[in-house]
Every structure is written in C-alpha cells, then in structure tokens.
Amino acid sequence: MPQLTLDQGTVHYRDTGEGEPVLLLHGYLMDSRLWEPVVERLAPDFRCIVPDLPLGAHRTPMNPGADLSLAGIARLVADLIDALGLPRVTLVGNDLGTAVAQLAAVRHPERIGRLVLTSGECFDNCPSPWFRSLAPASRVPGLLALTFRGLRLRAVRRMPFAFGLLTKGALPHELIDDWLGAFFADPGVRRDCTEVTRGILPTALLEPAERLAFFDRPTLLVFAREDRLFPYAHGERLAALVPGARLETVLDSRTWLMRDQPELTARLIGDFIRSTSADTEPAEMS
C-alpha cells in the first residue's frame, strides 16, 4: 500500500482506477478493505482512494499527541487530500466515516467537491446506543482492549453490541481477524483507538449539523431503510437540512451498504458524480 507522512503521522491508503477522485471513509475498528466491493465497480470510471483511518485497525500508530478527536481526523482527511495534490474530491462516508465526512465538509469545504453520506453517525446518535459504553471504557486503562478480546470469538462478533447489526449478510471474518490483529499487534494503535473512542460523544456532531444547513456542495444521502444502528429518519432529517441534498433509499441492507448492496451503492455514487459538478468554489461556511 502507498503511504503518506502527514503532521499527524503516517497514513496508508489504497489508490485504484483513474478519473475524478473519490475518497471513501470507513468506520470504527475497520480498514479500507471494507469498501472493496464498491471500489471494484467504481474503479473503471473513477480514481478511488481509500485511507486506513486511525480508528483502531490501522497498521502504523499516529504520532504521540496527534489530535484524534473526530474533528482532528477530519483535519487529517483534508491534509491527505492536499498531500495527494488534489484540488477537491467526492468524499464518501459510512458508519463513523460518515461523522468524519460531515466534519470535513463543514470545516474544510475547500477540499470537498461533492459529499456522499451513507448510513452512519448523525446528530446526537454518536455513537449508536449499542456502543455508548465504549467511551467510558476508554477512560479505564486496559478496559477497551479487554472488551475487544471477546471479539476474537466469532459467536461474539455476531452480537448486536459487536458487528452483528452492521450487515444482513455473513460477516467477513477474515477481515475482522485482520482488524483485531492490527489493534492487538501494536500498543500505539491501541493508544490511538483509545483517544478516538474518548471523542465519540453525542455532542460531537451537533454543531456540524447546524453548519450543514449552509453547505452548498452537491450532496447525496444513501441510507438503508432497515438499518438498526443508524435510523433512516436521520437521512430524511439531513435531506431537509442540507440545501439541495438528494436522498436515496437502499432496501435489504443495514449499515454496510457496500457489502449488502454493492452494485446499487456503486451505481448511486457513480450516477451522482456524473450528474453533478465539483468545479465551482464553495461558499464561505457560516
């Protein structure tokens, strides 16, 4: 994998295809491979860049003292776009990546040509109630790692408080094994994950949500009707909030639309890019 050294640390990323750049963000305790089924379908027409965000399954720890709040990770995304020499990208988020994408959109709009928010954290649903215990656990030394040890058992992974509600299909156990392996392999990665977890709070997205009312870039919302972690109603609220936003409904899917409905997800993103322009300068955010 190529890598870039930013102020925050080293970021590995996957870079596939040619054409307009699309930057896709994954969720917590995951890596860039989550998006592979959609990247395979988009890469013939677009340049797909998928970073391994420092969300607990990355391979190289960030620099000590790096800002790993959600706003800090949004800053990292903006710095990555700049380091790649791209004027702006179509930014796509899922799960916790949707929270990061919102923060990047309102704090670094000059880097965003288009915004695609799929099922993920919005408003005060940050994190989903199933995962509200993680932030307190992150404040007790060693407790987060102890919590994740149970995820080594495949039966535990299927539980609602683990990976069980993210997909309607079979869990990608080989990927999850690798994600957990990355977490446990390096104390620096565990430190990063702890710092990130402390910042995933119900208040983290309230101010960005207010500022989205002034976001003027083309915006697509792709929400799963049957998602049990991230309500479809939040997609409707965003559609009413973001000027000109387009809401698309995905059936027979949960949070991982790229896994449950890869063909539809890729088609919606591709058609959105083809039908909109990313060339105009964004207005100053209020």
Side-chain angles (χ1 to χ4, degrees), residues 252-272:
D252 198 24
S253 177
R254 290 185 180 159
T255 305
W256 283 352
L257 303 99
M258 76 292 284
R259 293 275 162 174
D260 288 343
Q261 295 292 344
E263 190 72 39
L264 175 58
T265 302
R267 178 170 59 80
L268 290 172
I269 295 172
D271 289 349
F272 171 65

Side-chain angles (χ1 to χ4, degrees), residues 9-47:
T10 298
V11 177
H12 298 264
Y13 63 98
R14 299 173 192 275
D15 194 341
T16 309
E18 297 181 356
E20 284 206 53
V22 184
L23 186 67
L24 303 106
L25 308 179
H26 60 78
Y28 182 83
L29 205 61
M30 307 168 199
D31 72 9
S32 54
R33 290 173 291 175
L34 182 71
W35 281 103
E36 281 181 342
V38 165
V39 169
E40 290 173 0
R41 292 163 170 82
L42 289 177
D45 299 306
F46 306 102
R47 180 183 176 187

Side-chain angles (χ1 to χ4, degrees), residues 83-162:
L84 288 167
L86 301 172
R88 56 182 63 92
V89 301
T90 296
L91 185 64
V92 183
N94 177 258
D95 198 296
L96 193 61
T98 288
V100 175
Q102 290 171 69
L103 281 155
V106 300
R107 297 192 176 211
H108 313 286
E110 72 282 358
R111 294 297 177 194
I112 313 302
R114 303 178 189 85
L115 181 64
V116 181
L117 302 177
T118 74
S119 296
E121 273 84 357
C122 299
F123 304 107
D124 62 350
N125 191 42
C126 182
S128 163
W130 282 105
F131 300 99
R132 291 278 166 90
S133 63
L134 290 178
S138 69
R139 292 177 170 82
V140 179
L143 185 55
L144 198 63
L146 182 63
T147 300
F148 290 163
R149 287 190 188 280
L151 298 178
R152 290 172 166 172
L153 300 174
R154 296 190 173 188
V156 174
R157 294 174 188 175
R158 298 186 183 97
M159 301 298 290
F161 55 79

Side-chain angles (χ1 to χ4, degrees), residues 161-183:
F161 55 79
F163 293 92
L165 295 182
L166 291 168
T167 177
K168 295 191 73 174
L171 289 176
H173 287 295
E174 292 75 14
L175 272 182
I176 297 173
D177 287 339
D178 280 354
W179 297 340
L180 293 171
F183 175 86

Side-chain angles (χ1 to χ4, degrees), residues 114 246 270-277:
R114 303 178 189 85
R246 179 190 313 172
D271 289 349
F272 171 65
I273 295 172
R274 295 184 188 96
S275 65
T276 56
S277 172

